Amino acid sequence: MMNRRNFIRNVSALSTLTILKPNIVFASNNNSAVRVGLVGCGSRARGILGSMAANTNIQITALADIFEDKVTNWLSFANELNSNNGFAAVDKKSCYIGYDSYMRLLENKNIDAVIIASPAYTHPKITEDAVKAGRHLYCEKPISIDAEGCKQVIRTGKNINGRLSAFDGFQIRYATPYVEMAKRIKRGDIGDIVSVQLYYFSSGAEILPHEGMSYDELRIRNHYHFHEISGGCYLDQAIHMIDVCNWILGTNPLYAIGLGGRKGGPDFGNAWTNYQVIYKYPNDINVNVQSSKFGNYFGDVCAKFIGTEGYAEAHYSGGVFINGKNSWDSGIVRSASDLTPESIARGASSSSLDTADLNKGKAFIESIVSGNYINQLESGSNSTLTAILGREAASRQEKITWDELLYSAQEIDHGLNLKQFTAK
């Protein structure tokens, strides 16, 4: 059985070749597909790779997950995506199972890039090893569940030195209506920003069957319900609006205070159901964030920037617009009831995210093909650290500064015995 030390030694000989080849291969033959391996065969990966396969020239060549049934269920979907693009099915020898499955996938010479869509507690180590193996990577958010993991990913990003593309999973920065709104705010269309309101109100996560499982397997399969595996709903969902805030303000917060708890949730797991956090940003900007994840009804998701000459407002479903001195509307329908067959035929939509995965996936693959590599690991880590700052302020019910978090040794022990998940 391979350990991580042997893995790093084995891939070191491949790294130089892998890093040097993309410019030669892709520049000389624009029809060459980017060969992609997937780590973490869950539902989010379907959205990422489904869009990527429909809009770019990729071939899925390998799959890895800790559980065999996850790989088996994903294999038919991967083969369908490949078939639609005229590629062969995934070789079953390139389907890896067990706690070290991702390391064996990274050793596969038929992979140019890796999608990391495993539970959040795994992200820092897999990101580091992907870079050491010379693989381009797309890591889902959050970057980590704790500050130490974020700092590890920042160090990993600095070691890339322009040799690879490393994308985070914050796709809203690529959604066309948000991009236009951000441009208008940054050029001053709403004047000086005074405050920001962010919220993400979600229904609860499904509790998957877990009878007869070990406690560790139960937690991994139901990771959204466990703080030490997923980081909690604030890192899973509110983080998207926090990233939009950091992007538009162009900075990180100074400190945070907050509250929260488990009210309204099931008698299962330990993740909190709700958070209310206030951040102080530079230039005397106050940011209020509310996040909830429980019950059977999905609420609204919104970022609202309030300025001296107007306000900008962006909803997942409900419009993206500016009211005030420099009014603007993206054209996203503010209510689904306003949609008609005629308006739909003209391209009208009530979703502001229609182009988010599409544009981000295209940017990732185009950066690889062109050799104009993009490294998003530091900005993704800073948005994750911002969410961690708010989560920790709420859970401790005390003011925490950015510097206190950054220079602390804040680390969460997942408590998993991963070696029990060894491929038979």
Side-chain angles (χ1 to χ4, degrees), residues 183-196:
K183 182 184 77 173
R184 290 170 180 267
I185 295 173
K186 289 180 180 182
R187 76 184 185 191
D189 280 19
I190 65 171
D192 291 332
I193 298 174
V194 176
S195 64
V196 183

Side-chain angles (χ1 to χ4, degrees), residues 178 181 185 190-199 234 238 240-251 253 276-290 302-308 310-314 386:
Y178 282 83
M181 182 188 76
I185 295 173
I190 65 171
D192 291 332
I193 298 174
V194 176
S195 64
V196 183
Q197 297 175 352
L198 311 172
Y199 55 83
Y234 199 74
H240 280 296
M241 295 297 97
I242 290 168
D243 180 66
V244 169
C245 181
N246 282 8
W247 168 39
I248 290 177
L249 298 186
T251 188
Q276 300 81 38
V277 177
I278 296 175
Y279 295 93
K280 172 66 75 174
Y281 275 74
N283 299 319
D284 197 25
I285 298 174
N286 299 317
V287 176
N288 174 56
V289 186
Q290 286 189 278
C302 178
K304 186 171 184 177
F305 296 81
I306 302 166
T308 55
Y311 67 88
E313 193 167 324
T386 303

Side-chain angles (χ1 to χ4, degrees), residues 218-239:
L218 174 157
R219 286 190 292 156
I220 295 171
R221 288 187 183 271
N222 287 281
H223 58 102
Y224 292 120
H225 293 277
F226 291 89
H227 178 85
E228 70 276 13
I229 309 297
S230 68
C233 71
Y234 199 74
L235 260 67
D236 179 50
Q237 296 184 318
I239 196 170

Side-chain angles (χ1 to χ4, degrees), residues 124-252:
K125 186 170 72 169
I126 298 176
T127 297
E128 180 182 26
D129 287 342
V131 170
K132 287 179 178 177
R135 305 291 187 253
H136 305 284
L137 68 98
Y138 182 119
C139 181
E140 252 306 322
K141 55 81 197 141
I143 291 296
S144 174
I145 62 172
D146 54 38
E148 279 299 303
C150 288
K151 289 187 282 186
Q152 177 184 349
V153 172
I154 290 172
R155 290 192 297 270
T156 296
K158 289 180 179 177
N159 288 333
I160 289 176
N161 294 322
R163 301 171 300 168
L164 299 166
S165 273
F167 273 49
D168 60 41
F170 293 108
Q171 79 276 22
I172 297 177
R173 293 194 188 203
Y174 285 77
T176 303
Y178 282 83
V179 171
E180 181 62 25
M181 182 188 76
K183 182 184 77 173
R184 290 170 180 267
I185 295 173
K186 289 180 180 182
R187 76 184 185 191
D189 280 19
I190 65 171
D192 291 332
I193 298 174
V194 176
S195 64
V196 183
Q197 297 175 352
L198 311 172
Y199 55 83
Y200 199 124
F201 302 139
S202 173
S203 54
E206 179 185 5
I207 299 175
L208 301 177
H210 50 273
E211 290 74 16
M213 294 181 184
S214 69
Y215 185 59
D216 286 351
E217 182 173 352
L218 174 157
R219 286 190 292 156
I220 295 171
R221 288 187 183 271
N222 287 281
H223 58 102
Y224 292 120
H225 293 277
F226 291 89
H227 178 85
E228 70 276 13
I229 309 297
S230 68
C233 71
Y234 199 74
L235 260 67
D236 179 50
Q237 296 184 318
I239 196 170
H240 280 296
M241 295 297 97
I242 290 168
D243 180 66
V244 169
C245 181
N246 282 8
W247 168 39
I248 290 177
L249 298 186
T251 188
N252 304 314

Side-chain angles (χ1 to χ4, degrees), residues 359-423:
N359 288 341
K360 182 131 197 180
K362 287 176 67 175
F364 176 55
I365 298 303
E366 287 173 4
S367 73
I368 298 170
V369 173
S370 67
N372 297 317
Y373 303 142
I374 298 172
N375 181 355
Q376 300 177 340
L377 293 186
E378 184 166 3
S379 64
S381 294
N382 283 336
S383 289
T384 302
L385 281 166
T386 303
I388 292 170
L389 179 69
R391 184 196 66 192
E392 293 302 299
S395 62
R396 301 181 202 176
Q397 294 190 25
E398 62 184 31
K399 173 182 172 181
I400 301 177
T401 71
W402 179 264
D403 288 344
E404 285 171 348
L405 180 70
L406 202 60
Y407 294 109
S408 72
Q410 195 260 349
E411 189 170 8
I412 297 173
D413 182 6
H414 55 63
L416 296 168
N417 172 21
L418 293 173
K419 289 189 178 180
Q420 68 182 285
F421 305 110
T422 301

Side-chain angles (χ1 to χ4, degrees), residues 253-271:
L254 301 172
Y255 64 83
I257 57 176
L259 296 168
R262 285 182 41 79
K263 186 176 180 179
D267 186 18
F268 181 82
N270 57 23

